[in-house]
mmCIF file of all heavy atoms in Angstrom:
data_model
loop_
_atom_site.group_PDB
_atom_site.id
_atom_site.type_symbol
_atom_site.label_atom_id
_atom_site.label_comp_id
_atom_site.label_asym_id
_atom_site.label_seq_id
_atom_site.Cartn_x
_atom_site.Cartn_y
_atom_site.Cartn_z
ATOM 1 N N GLU A 7 62.413 62.574 -43.877
ATOM 2 C CA GLU A 7 62.127 62.626 -45.262
ATOM 3 C C GLU A 7 61.175 63.658 -45.631
ATOM 4 O O GLU A 7 61.253 64.186 -46.813
ATOM 5 C CB GLU A 7 61.484 61.298 -45.764
ATOM 6 C CG GLU A 7 62.415 60.167 -45.779
ATOM 7 C CD GLU A 7 61.925 58.993 -46.561
ATOM 8 O OE1 GLU A 7 60.883 59.111 -47.216
ATOM 9 O OE2 GLU A 7 62.510 57.848 -46.475
ATOM 10 N N MET A 10 61.866 69.051 -45.915
ATOM 11 C CA MET A 10 61.731 70.156 -46.877
ATOM 12 C C MET A 10 60.338 70.305 -47.246
ATOM 13 O O MET A 10 60.067 71.227 -48.081
ATOM 14 C CB MET A 10 62.661 69.900 -48.096
ATOM 15 C CG MET A 10 64.041 69.537 -47.721
ATOM 16 S SD MET A 10 64.888 70.720 -46.696
ATOM 17 C CE MET A 10 66.438 69.781 -46.387
ATOM 18 N N ASP A 36 51.131 86.044 -51.513
ATOM 19 C CA ASP A 36 49.854 86.621 -51.047
ATOM 20 C C ASP A 36 48.868 86.804 -52.243
ATOM 21 O O ASP A 36 48.614 87.963 -52.642
ATOM 22 C CB ASP A 36 50.027 88.039 -50.267
ATOM 23 C CG ASP A 36 48.856 88.563 -49.602
ATOM 24 O OD1 ASP A 36 47.931 87.829 -49.484
ATOM 25 O OD2 ASP A 36 48.916 89.697 -49.264
ATOM 26 N N PRO A 58 62.793 87.700 -50.216
ATOM 27 C CA PRO A 58 62.217 86.786 -51.155
ATOM 28 C C PRO A 58 63.075 86.601 -52.415
ATOM 29 O O PRO A 58 63.883 87.432 -52.819
ATOM 30 C CB PRO A 58 60.856 87.613 -51.548
ATOM 31 C CG PRO A 58 61.168 89.032 -51.344
ATOM 32 C CD PRO A 58 62.172 89.075 -50.129
ATOM 33 N N PRO A 64 55.916 80.498 -60.422
ATOM 34 C CA PRO A 64 55.877 80.012 -58.991
ATOM 35 C C PRO A 64 56.481 78.574 -58.964
ATOM 36 O O PRO A 64 56.554 77.854 -60.001
ATOM 37 C CB PRO A 64 54.276 79.770 -58.850
ATOM 38 C CG PRO A 64 53.733 80.740 -59.861
ATOM 39 C CD PRO A 64 54.666 80.776 -61.083
ATOM 40 N N SER A 70 62.609 71.656 -53.058
ATOM 41 C CA SER A 70 63.399 71.586 -51.857
ATOM 42 C C SER A 70 64.446 72.701 -51.810
ATOM 43 O O SER A 70 65.045 72.978 -52.869
ATOM 44 C CB SER A 70 64.157 70.206 -51.509
ATOM 45 O OG SER A 70 63.166 69.154 -51.554
ATOM 46 N N SER A 92 69.921 74.224 -58.765
ATOM 47 C CA SER A 92 70.182 75.548 -59.028
ATOM 48 C C SER A 92 70.576 76.300 -57.860
ATOM 49 O O SER A 92 70.264 75.922 -56.738
ATOM 50 C CB SER A 92 69.107 76.291 -59.782
ATOM 51 O OG SER A 92 68.660 75.637 -60.857
ATOM 52 N N PRO A 96 69.959 87.062 -54.039
ATOM 53 C CA PRO A 96 69.442 88.331 -54.357
ATOM 54 C C PRO A 96 70.447 89.055 -55.222
ATOM 55 O O PRO A 96 71.628 89.169 -54.961
ATOM 56 C CB PRO A 96 69.160 89.040 -53.004
ATOM 57 C CG PRO A 96 70.032 88.309 -52.022
ATOM 58 C CD PRO A 96 70.264 86.892 -52.533
ATOM 59 N N ALA A 111 66.981 60.623 -61.446
ATOM 60 C CA ALA A 111 66.524 59.749 -60.462
ATOM 61 C C ALA A 111 65.013 59.833 -60.152
ATOM 62 O O ALA A 111 64.481 60.996 -60.360
ATOM 63 C CB ALA A 111 67.291 60.125 -59.111
ATOM 64 N N LEU A 117 69.953 66.138 -47.936
ATOM 65 C CA LEU A 117 70.389 65.924 -46.602
ATOM 66 C C LEU A 117 70.528 67.118 -45.854
ATOM 67 O O LEU A 117 70.647 68.222 -46.436
ATOM 68 C CB LEU A 117 71.672 65.126 -46.634
ATOM 69 C CG LEU A 117 71.513 63.653 -47.149
ATOM 70 C CD1 LEU A 117 73.017 62.992 -47.195
ATOM 71 C CD2 LEU A 117 70.695 62.809 -46.205
ATOM 72 N N PRO A 148 76.785 68.021 -60.308
ATOM 73 C CA PRO A 148 76.512 66.941 -59.285
ATOM 74 C C PRO A 148 77.395 65.743 -59.633
ATOM 75 O O PRO A 148 77.615 65.465 -60.747
ATOM 76 C CB PRO A 148 74.984 66.529 -59.592
ATOM 77 C CG PRO A 148 74.331 67.892 -60.136
ATOM 78 C CD PRO A 148 75.503 68.506 -60.982
ATOM 79 N N LYS A 182 69.244 49.340 -39.712
ATOM 80 C CA LYS A 182 70.498 49.620 -38.820
ATOM 81 C C LYS A 182 71.125 50.927 -39.407
ATOM 82 O O LYS A 182 71.046 51.297 -40.422
ATOM 83 C CB LYS A 182 71.527 48.512 -38.925
ATOM 84 C CG LYS A 182 70.909 47.101 -38.546
ATOM 85 C CD LYS A 182 70.560 47.009 -37.136
ATOM 86 C CE LYS A 182 70.123 45.524 -36.831
ATOM 87 N NZ LYS A 182 69.692 45.430 -35.418
ATOM 88 N N THR A 183 71.807 51.518 -38.473
ATOM 89 C CA THR A 183 72.560 52.763 -38.816
ATOM 90 C C THR A 183 73.895 52.513 -39.375
ATOM 91 O O THR A 183 74.633 51.730 -38.667
ATOM 92 C CB THR A 183 72.678 53.751 -37.706
ATOM 93 O OG1 THR A 183 71.180 54.132 -37.272
ATOM 94 C CG2 THR A 183 73.269 55.101 -38.030
ATOM 95 N N THR A 194 81.571 52.303 -46.408
ATOM 96 C CA THR A 194 80.410 52.199 -45.362
ATOM 97 C C THR A 194 80.625 51.129 -44.507
ATOM 98 O O THR A 194 81.110 50.001 -44.838
ATOM 99 C CB THR A 194 79.150 51.975 -46.186
ATOM 100 O OG1 THR A 194 79.076 52.976 -47.228
ATOM 101 C CG2 THR A 194 77.980 51.992 -45.333
ATOM 102 N N ASP A 212 75.454 64.902 -31.537
ATOM 103 C CA ASP A 212 76.168 66.113 -31.155
ATOM 104 C C ASP A 212 77.710 65.896 -31.360
ATOM 105 O O ASP A 212 78.308 65.118 -30.579
ATOM 106 C CB ASP A 212 75.901 66.651 -29.747
ATOM 107 C CG ASP A 212 76.699 67.757 -29.489
ATOM 108 O OD1 ASP A 212 76.803 68.781 -30.246
ATOM 109 O OD2 ASP A 212 77.390 67.875 -28.395
ATOM 110 N N GLY A 228 58.948 50.222 -29.629
ATOM 111 C CA GLY A 228 59.719 51.405 -30.044
ATOM 112 C C GLY A 228 60.001 52.378 -28.959
ATOM 113 O O GLY A 228 59.085 52.820 -28.253
ATOM 114 N N THR A 253 53.712 61.877 -30.678
ATOM 115 C CA THR A 253 55.107 61.589 -30.908
ATOM 116 C C THR A 253 56.053 62.612 -30.287
ATOM 117 O O THR A 253 55.615 63.685 -29.880
ATOM 118 C CB THR A 253 55.425 61.738 -32.478
ATOM 119 O OG1 THR A 253 55.069 63.009 -32.778
ATOM 120 C CG2 THR A 253 54.546 60.814 -33.226
ATOM 121 N N PRO A 256 63.490 64.533 -31.344
ATOM 122 C CA PRO A 256 64.605 65.454 -31.044
ATOM 123 C C PRO A 256 64.941 66.134 -32.294
ATOM 124 O O PRO A 256 64.961 65.718 -33.371
ATOM 125 C CB PRO A 256 65.765 64.546 -30.594
ATOM 126 C CG PRO A 256 65.485 63.330 -31.308
ATOM 127 C CD PRO A 256 63.981 63.131 -31.331
ATOM 128 N N PHE A 257 65.237 67.522 -32.093
ATOM 129 C CA PHE A 257 65.602 68.336 -33.300
ATOM 130 C C PHE A 257 66.928 69.234 -33.048
ATOM 131 O O PHE A 257 67.403 69.753 -34.040
ATOM 132 C CB PHE A 257 64.512 69.156 -33.791
ATOM 133 C CG PHE A 257 63.998 70.229 -32.861
ATOM 134 C CD1 PHE A 257 64.599 71.527 -32.939
ATOM 135 C CD2 PHE A 257 62.993 70.046 -31.865
ATOM 136 C CE1 PHE A 257 64.108 72.427 -32.056
ATOM 137 C CE2 PHE A 257 62.480 71.018 -31.076
ATOM 138 C CZ PHE A 257 63.037 72.324 -31.080
ATOM 139 N N GLN A 263 79.414 71.448 -25.443
ATOM 140 C CA GLN A 263 79.552 70.686 -24.169
ATOM 141 C C GLN A 263 80.693 69.588 -24.296
ATOM 142 O O GLN A 263 80.427 68.431 -24.402
ATOM 143 C CB GLN A 263 78.307 70.072 -23.759
ATOM 144 C CG GLN A 263 77.183 71.141 -23.566
ATOM 145 C CD GLN A 263 77.459 72.129 -22.555
ATOM 146 O OE1 GLN A 263 77.650 71.850 -21.413
ATOM 147 N NE2 GLN A 263 77.485 73.397 -22.896
ATOM 148 N N ALA A 266 81.110 66.386 -22.075
ATOM 149 C CA ALA A 266 80.105 66.464 -21.070
ATOM 150 C C ALA A 266 78.744 66.218 -21.631
ATOM 151 O O ALA A 266 77.841 67.092 -21.557
ATOM 152 C CB ALA A 266 80.144 67.937 -20.304
ATOM 153 N N ALA A 360 53.012 55.321 -19.930
ATOM 154 C CA ALA A 360 52.068 54.191 -19.832
ATOM 155 C C ALA A 360 52.096 53.423 -21.180
ATOM 156 O O ALA A 360 52.858 52.387 -21.323
ATOM 157 C CB ALA A 360 50.618 54.742 -19.555
ATOM 158 N N ARG A 443 90.109 50.474 -41.298
ATOM 159 C CA ARG A 443 90.144 51.225 -40.065
ATOM 160 C C ARG A 443 90.083 52.713 -40.261
ATOM 161 O O ARG A 443 90.755 53.299 -41.066
ATOM 162 C CB ARG A 443 91.433 50.951 -39.245
ATOM 163 C CG ARG A 443 91.481 51.545 -37.859
ATOM 164 C CD ARG A 443 92.788 51.165 -37.166
ATOM 165 N NE ARG A 443 92.948 51.798 -35.894
ATOM 166 C CZ ARG A 443 92.418 51.175 -34.828
ATOM 167 N NH1 ARG A 443 91.815 50.029 -34.803
ATOM 168 N NH2 ARG A 443 92.529 51.760 -33.645
ATOM 169 N N CYS A 458 83.010 51.466 -32.211
ATOM 170 C CA CYS A 458 83.219 52.788 -31.682
ATOM 171 C C CYS A 458 83.993 52.680 -30.406
ATOM 172 O O CYS A 458 83.465 52.043 -29.438
ATOM 173 C CB CYS A 458 81.956 53.576 -31.556
ATOM 174 S SG CYS A 458 80.990 53.713 -33.081
#
Side-chain angles (χ1 to χ4, degrees):
E7 287 197 9
M10 311 301 175
D36 188 15
S70 303
S92 303
L117 290 176
K182 305 291 183 182
T183 302
T194 305
D212 175 48
T253 61
F257 65 88
Q263 305 297 301
R443 184 179 180 88
C458 299

